[in-house]
Amino acid sequence: MKRILLATVVFINSFAYAQQEIKVDIFDALALKTFEVSYEHYTTERSSIGVSVLFNFEKRSADFRYNEKSMFTPFFRHYFTNSSTWNYFGEVFMGINTGERKTIIAGTNNYEYKDYTDGALGLAFGSKYVSPGGFVLDLYGGLGRNLFTSESRSIVPRVGINLGYRF
């Protein structure tokens, strides 16, 4: 019982004193009518875990839009340097995405949209700037591959320019 209590206290304290960030993807919001917010928690000085949530508000008829309606993306980042201002990272992510795919109805010229849910595994690379006051600028790009259904697109993009705050 004492070991369980000690492990619980250590676990809670590790979150209480760690660096954390909250960010919003301004590129997606301005260019693609998409809202993406991210939370990142540093587990060590050179690694972090986090989660992003994306919602797509662009209409089907738009010239360019994400195929995904929504995406929930847990990720792990490893930072390559100990720099406190500019740093470079690699990321592994698992994106759970929903969307719709346009398909032609057999024997007709009509089409319909089929909804799907899929999971993508992927890699991304990027750079991050952290100001002395806690302001964060995060740039990254990468690709994932959907794994579970043939209804979804094969490739899932992970691209962003995030603005946020470290606390």
Side-chain angles (χ1 to χ4, degrees):
M1 183 65 176
K2 289 181 184 179
R3 289 183 185 170
I4 294 172
L5 181 60
L6 179 62
T8 304
V9 169
V10 169
F11 179 74
I12 291 170
N13 282 338
S14 70
F15 283 102
Y17 297 107
Q19 291 181 344
Q20 302 171 50
E21 295 173 3
I22 188 85
K23 300 171 279 196
V24 175
D25 190 337
I26 60 165
F27 172 75
D28 284 351
L30 296 175
L32 302 172
K33 293 185 184 175
T34 303
F35 178 72
E36 183 175 8
V37 64
S38 300
Y39 169 79
E40 188 172 353
H41 172 80
Y42 286 79
T43 56
T44 68
E45 199 173 292
R46 293 180 69 178
S47 64
S48 67
I49 57 173
V51 64
S52 294
V53 180
L54 175 137
F55 299 99
N56 189 349
F57 299 109
E58 189 69 77
K59 295 180 181 175
R60 285 185 199 160
S61 60
D63 292 335
F64 183 79
R65 70 184 290 267
Y66 283 129
N67 293 315
E68 296 77 27
K69 287 185 191 175
S70 64
M71 189 162 170
F72 175 78
T73 311
F75 60 85
F76 170 79
R77 286 184 176 172
H78 176 74
Y79 292 87
F80 298 118
T81 68
N82 288 329
S83 173
S84 61
T85 53
W86 276 104
N87 208 334
Y88 301 96
F89 61 85
E91 175 183 292
V92 176
F93 67 90
M94 173 67 185
I96 301 163
N97 58 83
T98 63
E100 55 189 15
R101 183 158 185 156
K102 184 177 178 179
T103 57
I104 295 175
I105 299 171
T108 69
N109 290 334
N110 299 330
Y111 59 87
E112 66 182 356
Y113 289 92
K114 289 188 178 182
D115 291 334
Y116 68 84
T117 300
D118 207 343
L121 186 61
L123 296 172
F125 298 95
S127 182
K128 182 185 286 190
Y129 171 76
V130 181
S131 74
F135 169 77
V136 176
L137 174 65
D138 186 336
L139 308 133
Y140 60 90
L143 293 174
R145 179 166 175 81
N146 276 326
L147 302 170
F148 303 114
T149 181
S150 62
E151 295 298 323
S152 62
R153 302 277 186 211
S154 300
I155 302 296
V156 175
R158 178 133 168 88
V159 185
I161 301 173
N162 291 329
L163 288 177
Y165 184 72
R166 178 180 282 184
F167 52 96

